């Protein structure tokens, strides 16, 4: 499968100077910095490029800065691809924690202004929640998840409260708790040959220790007019793609106190045989985690080497051009589905006539098809499958497969809107 997945980093990827080369090279990036600064009431340029590291690391500043820098990079990269006469065939997006909101923004599910306001509230609420400095996080490495969970269970049975907050990989799990409990937990795990690292974070994120931050964040969520993403966005709360705007609000509402199921998201996407993963944002934290699952050659960091990423997208597009387009795949689906309708008149009207219309659309260069023509082709396919009495679940599966293969997951055919 020639699919491209875009991933966005979360808190911890920030550093002073991040995005500076993009800011210097692209007016669109400078404009996003200006827009964000107007909303925030302070200069994002000064914060990202001139502030002391400890200031940028503060939760209220790190989160909104990462959102703006990562999204501005994404926009600039997509414009660069378009300037080469190409369109990046993005099949899905996701992000780690905060990065999930960046993914929703890039996928068109939320406006830039609303995203900035939402993350501003998120960062401020989380910082206030952790202000007393009594909680934190540690990373447990080298121990399988099931064994780590059993250690946590046994440790907590002694009166402690340590919680799994990030399922990053099969052998890297992040735990949250009070500093005292985490210190004891570190010794407990090291005695069992598990490597442990204290994380430089301000609190016990993605655990019930963040409960007092939830009301303000939920209030902010309710003010946002989310829409269905143009491409599938995978949720770190559920490990699955969002189905609609209501699901987005529901998942974000519990995001602060729920563990990040990053390994589940990566596994779900890897099962689709993704050809190319590109991390869009500062550093390459996610790139390293994903590479451990799918191999290094399939995962790139945009900030690390933009030209290499553009070339990889070009190669992906060329491979896709050698495959059937959307109309061709629709015609193939017609041939592959069994006919259960033996009414000759109905078959002529519902199969032969629409198939001839598909043949007419197939004469158009697949790269020149408009979205409306693609929707027409999908609706013709639905008409044919319905006439052939193909089970509805099979209809939906076939159309979902076509949309994934062509990178047109944002299309909404009138007869099968639920297919995407």
């Amino acid at each position: 499968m020639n699919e491209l997945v875009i991933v966005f980093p979360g808190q911890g990827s920030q550093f002073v100077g991040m995005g500076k080369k993009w800011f210097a090279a692209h007016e669109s990036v400078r404009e996003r910095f200006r827009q964000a600064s107007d909303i925030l009431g302070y200069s994002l340029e000064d914060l990202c490029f001139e502030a002391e590291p400890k200031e940028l690391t503060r939760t209220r500043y790190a989160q909104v800065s990462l959102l703006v820098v990562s999204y501005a990079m994404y926009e600039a990269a997509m414009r660069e691809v378009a300037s080469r006469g190409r369109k990046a065939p993005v099949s899905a997006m996701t992000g780690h924690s905060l990065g999930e909101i960046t993914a929703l923004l890039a996928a068109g599910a939320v406006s830039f202004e609303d995203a900035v306001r939402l993350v501003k509230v998120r960062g401020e609420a989380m910082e206030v929640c952790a202000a007393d400095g009594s909680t934190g996080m540690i990373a447990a490495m080298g121990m399988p998840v099931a064994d780590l969970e059993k250690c946590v269970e046994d440790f907590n049975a002694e009166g402690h409260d340590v919680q799994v907050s990030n399922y990053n990989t099969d052998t890297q799990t992040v735990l949250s708790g009070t500093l005292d409990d985490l210190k004891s937990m570190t010794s407990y795990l090291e005695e069992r040959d598990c490597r442990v690292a204290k994380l430089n974070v301000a609190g016990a994120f993605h655990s019930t220790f963040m409960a007092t931050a939830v009301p303000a964040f939920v209030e902010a969520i309710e003010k946002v007019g989310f829409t269905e993403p143009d491409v599938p966005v995978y949720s770190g709360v559920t490990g699955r793609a969002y189905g609609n705007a209501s699901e987005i609000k529901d998942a974000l509402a519990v995001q602060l106190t729920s563990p990040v199921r990053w390994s589940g998201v990566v596994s779900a996407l890897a099962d689709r045989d993704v050809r190319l993963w590109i991390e869009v944002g500062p550093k390459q934290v996610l790139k390293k985690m994903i590479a451990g699952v799918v191999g290094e050659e399939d995962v790139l960091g945009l900030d690390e080497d933009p030209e290499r990423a553009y070339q990889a997208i070009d190669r992906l597009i060329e491979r896709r051009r050698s495959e059937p387009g959307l109309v061709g795949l629709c015609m193939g689906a017609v041939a592959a589905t069994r006919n259960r309708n033996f009414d000759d008149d109905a078959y002529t009207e519902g199969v032969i006539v629409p198939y001839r219309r598909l043949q007419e659309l197939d004469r158009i260069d697949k790269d020149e098809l408009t979205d409306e023509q693609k929707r027409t082709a999908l609706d013709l396919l639905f008409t044919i499958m319905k006439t052939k009495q193909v089970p509805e679940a099979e209809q939906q599966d076939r159309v979902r497969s076509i949309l994934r293969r062509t990178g047109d997951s944002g299309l909404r055919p009138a007869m099968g809107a639920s297919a995407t």
Side-chain angles (χ1 to χ4, degrees):
M1 299 291 285
N2 292 323
E3 297 194 23
L4 166 63
V5 172
I6 302 292
V7 300
F8 297 94
Q11 190 171 348
S13 289
Q14 73 279 348
F15 65 90
V16 175
M18 64 178 184
K20 194 169 186 177
K21 65 183 180 182
W22 295 85
F23 184 92
H26 301 279
E27 171 58 30
S28 64
V29 176
R30 295 191 288 274
E31 177 59 24
R32 288 305 188 191
F33 268 66
R34 286 192 289 267
Q35 291 175 337
S37 296
D38 288 343
I39 295 170
L40 298 170
Y42 55 81
S43 171
L44 193 65
E45 180 183 352
D46 289 346
L47 178 65
C48 289
F49 307 152
E50 306 296 338
E52 292 294 323
K54 65 179 182 180
E55 190 71 3
L56 182 59
T57 300
R58 289 181 60 182
T59 301
R60 67 173 58 220
Y61 296 139
Q63 292 192 9
V64 73
S65 298
L66 282 166
L67 171 88
V68 176
V69 169
S70 298
Y71 178 64
M73 286 172 55
Y74 173 77
E75 279 191 313
M78 293 303 101
R79 285 192 173 93
E80 175 62 25
V81 172
S83 73
R84 303 179 181 205
R86 309 279 193 165
K87 179 183 178 182
V90 180
S91 301
M93 295 183 180
T94 191
H96 194 285
S97 186
L98 157 75
E100 190 175 313
I101 299 177
T102 315
L104 290 167
L105 170 58
V110 60
S111 71
F112 178 76
E113 293 79 7
D114 277 347
V116 172
R117 294 188 186 98
L118 180 61
V119 173
K120 178 178 184 290
V121 172
R122 185 184 192 268
E124 290 172 349
M126 291 173 69
E127 182 174 300
V128 170
C129 181
D132 65 4
S134 64
T135 61
M137 304 172 82
I138 58 174
M141 297 164 287
M143 179 178 284
V145 172
D147 293 346
L148 189 282
E149 289 178 325
K150 183 63 168 60
C151 284
V152 171
E153 180 183 350
D154 292 345
F155 182 76
N156 286 341
E158 300 175 4
H160 304 290
D161 185 12
V162 170
Q163 302 171 30
V164 176
S165 49
N166 292 355
Y167 292 93
N168 283 338
T169 71
D170 289 343
T171 57
Q172 185 194 108
T173 309
V174 176
L175 306 178
S176 290
T178 65
L179 296 181
D180 288 341
D181 274 352
L182 292 178
K183 183 178 180 180
S184 298
M185 186 71 191
T186 297
S187 299
Y188 186 89
L189 291 173
E190 289 177 340
E191 290 171 358
R192 289 157 179 79
D193 297 323
C194 178
R195 290 181 292 115
V196 181
K198 182 180 179 181
L199 300 184
N200 185 23
V201 294
F205 302 148
H206 296 289
S207 72
T208 58
F209 292 97
M210 284 285 109
T212 59
V214 172
F217 186 46
V218 169
E219 183 179 352
I221 290 170
E222 291 303 319
K223 295 177 181 178
V224 175
F226 287 101
T227 60
E228 193 168 345
D230 294 334
V231 299
V233 174
Y234 279 69
S235 164
V237 172
T238 65
R240 304 186 303 272
Y242 285 115
N244 51 51
S246 178
E247 287 186 10
I248 294 172
K249 287 192 172 186
D250 290 345
L252 290 183
V254 299
Q255 189 192 53
L256 302 189
T257 54
S258 299
V260 177
R261 301 187 181 279
W262 181 251
S263 60
V265 170
V266 173
S267 294
L269 288 165
D271 286 344
R272 290 171 51 164
D273 296 324
V274 173
R275 177 68 67 119
L276 178 63
W277 307 69
I278 297 180
E279 180 174 7
V280 178
K283 297 186 178 179
Q284 292 87 45
V285 174
L286 302 183
K287 173 189 170 184
K288 293 174 182 176
M289 286 196 283
I290 296 169
V293 177
V294 304
E296 292 185 4
E297 64 181 22
D298 297 325
V299 192
L300 300 176
L302 179 67
D303 197 34
E304 178 185 29
D305 193 341
E307 187 57 36
R308 185 182 177 196
Y310 299 145
Q311 291 174 1
I313 291 172
D314 283 346
R315 289 193 296 272
L316 184 64
I317 291 171
E318 289 304 317
R319 284 194 293 265
R320 292 172 68 92
R321 283 182 173 173
S322 67
E323 295 183 340
L326 184 141
V327 176
L329 291 172
C330 286
M331 295 171 68
V334 172
T337 52
R338 174 187 171 190
N339 177 47
R340 299 172 175 83
N341 187 344
F342 300 101
D343 182 319
D344 290 343
D345 291 338
Y347 190 86
T348 297
E349 182 66 26
V351 177
I352 295 177
V353 172
Y355 188 78
R356 287 173 180 165
R357 292 183 62 193
L358 279 175
Q359 289 177 314
E360 293 173 1
L361 287 171
D362 195 43
R363 297 189 184 101
I364 302 171
D365 188 302
K366 64 181 181 181
D367 291 329
E368 296 179 2
L369 282 171
T370 65
D371 285 350
E372 190 58 38
Q373 289 170 325
K374 292 177 182 179
R375 290 190 190 95
T376 297
L378 292 170
D379 288 336
L380 290 169
L381 173 59
F382 271 115
T383 295
I384 293 170
M385 291 192 295
K386 183 177 180 181
T387 302
K388 294 173 77 172
Q389 298 179 5
V390 175
E392 185 174 348
E394 182 181 343
Q395 294 180 35
Q396 301 293 340
D397 285 344
R398 288 187 179 276
V399 171
R400 272 194 292 265
S401 176
I402 290 171
L403 293 175
R404 285 198 301 267
R405 289 185 63 180
T406 60
D408 290 306
S409 296
L411 288 176
R412 299 291 182 269
M415 294 185 64
S418 62
T420 56

